[in-house]
Amino acid sequence: MEFDSIIFDLDGTLWDSVDSVRDSWNQTLRQYPQISKTLTTEDLQSVMGLVVEDLSQKLFGEAGERLALEIGIRCCAEENEYIRENGANVYPGLRETLEKLRKHHSLYIVSNCQEGYIESFFAVSGLQHLFTDYECSGSTGFRKDKNIALIVKRNHLQRPVYVGDTQGDLNAARAAGVRFLWASYGFGTVDDPLIRAVKDIRELPDVMDGKEIV
């Protein structure tokens, strides 16, 4: 099957911002004496890809549902500016890879992130011009499957594939009726051994050149 378009997850697929997010969130947490913990890289990796309601309860649930959500929303909001100022780890070869893919496929991003986070990725990477459209849960209030479907409908995509790094990404793609490709270099795993894996983002153009994707 030939694909006309590629929809990307962001964290663990196009970049690794976890160290910058960790530092930003720990800076924000110092304003909340109710939270005594210092977040680690592993803490942040465990919630990458979750919507703010879910990650807040996982990381700050002991503070109570309402305060945990307040903290999570503030952490997410303040990380946007922190990343713009301090950068994050864009995967090696990303620009060249996307430029190759853009010759034959339209490119999109769908993430469960807060509003403004994808724009922070664009500010750091300088790659916004390569993407036709993007969407996130912070803008629409929808989870990933509905936002994938929204991108497909809004852009009249006929044969899209979603590229992500976690089981949640696979589940969302399936719920949206979209084929899936696993970015195995990212943060997560998938439970289907038939899913085609990409071990490095730079492999993607060869994979898209005609190899079957489950």
Side-chain angles (χ1 to χ4, degrees):
M1 170 186 258
E2 292 185 3
F3 296 94
D4 63 348
S5 50
I6 308 170
I7 309 171
F8 290 95
D9 171 51
L10 182 49
D11 289 322
T13 302
L14 298 178
W15 73 347
D16 178 357
S17 66
V18 66
D19 288 345
S20 293
V21 172
R22 177 202 63 210
D23 293 344
S24 172
W25 284 33
N26 281 327
Q27 179 175 286
T28 301
L29 287 180
R30 287 196 284 272
Q31 303 169 57
Y32 289 91
Q34 305 95 323
I35 303 295
S36 59
K37 69 168 66 174
T38 298
L39 296 174
T40 66
T41 296
E42 290 72 24
D43 290 330
L44 271 299
Q45 286 176 332
S46 74
V47 298
M48 286 290 181
L50 299 182
V51 294
V52 65
E53 292 84 358
D54 294 340
L55 67 83
S56 297
Q57 291 308 307
K58 185 169 183 178
L59 293 178
F60 315 123
E62 72 275 11
E65 183 174 353
R66 185 172 180 176
L67 181 57
L69 181 57
E70 174 191 320
I71 295 171
I73 290 172
R74 185 167 181 179
C75 283
C76 287
E78 294 185 355
E79 84 179 39
N80 288 340
E81 186 60 33
Y82 187 95
I83 287 174
R84 285 173 181 259
E85 293 179 357
N86 295 278
N89 178 31
V90 176
Y91 285 128
L94 181 63
R95 176 182 293 273
E96 295 78 7
T97 298
L98 295 179
E99 287 173 346
K100 288 179 182 178
L101 293 169
R102 189 69 173 81
K103 293 177 181 179
H104 303 290
H105 307 85
S106 55
L107 307 181
Y108 306 86
I109 297 174
V110 170
S111 170
N112 271 341
C113 62
Q114 71 274 13
E115 190 172 12
Y117 184 74
I118 297 176
E119 289 84 351
S120 294
F121 165 73
F122 290 147
V124 170
S125 68
L127 299 177
Q128 182 169 0
H129 65 288
L130 296 175
F131 293 91
T132 301
D133 197 1
Y134 58 93
E135 198 54 88
C136 70
S137 63
S139 295
T140 65
F142 299 149
R143 292 181 182 260
K144 185 168 287 184
D145 58 334
K146 292 187 180 299
N147 281 326
I148 292 173
L150 179 61
I151 284 287
V152 170
K153 181 177 181 180
R154 190 160 72 200
N155 294 280
H156 310 289
L157 306 183
Q158 300 300 312
R159 299 178 305 280
V161 62
Y162 189 73
V163 182
D165 65 311
T166 68
Q167 182 66 38
D169 292 333
L170 171 56
N171 295 343
R174 284 177 169 166
V178 170
R179 295 291 189 93
F180 180 77
L181 184 64
W182 177 36
S184 64
Y185 53 86
F187 300 137
T189 60
V190 297
D191 64 8
D192 188 338
L194 297 179
I195 292 294
R196 179 62 192 270
V198 174
K199 297 179 181 178
D200 187 300
I201 187 70
R202 290 168 287 195
E203 295 178 4
L204 194 51
D206 289 335
V207 172
M208 297 302 296
D209 268 348
K211 303 224 178 138
E212 187 63 26
I213 300 173
V214 174

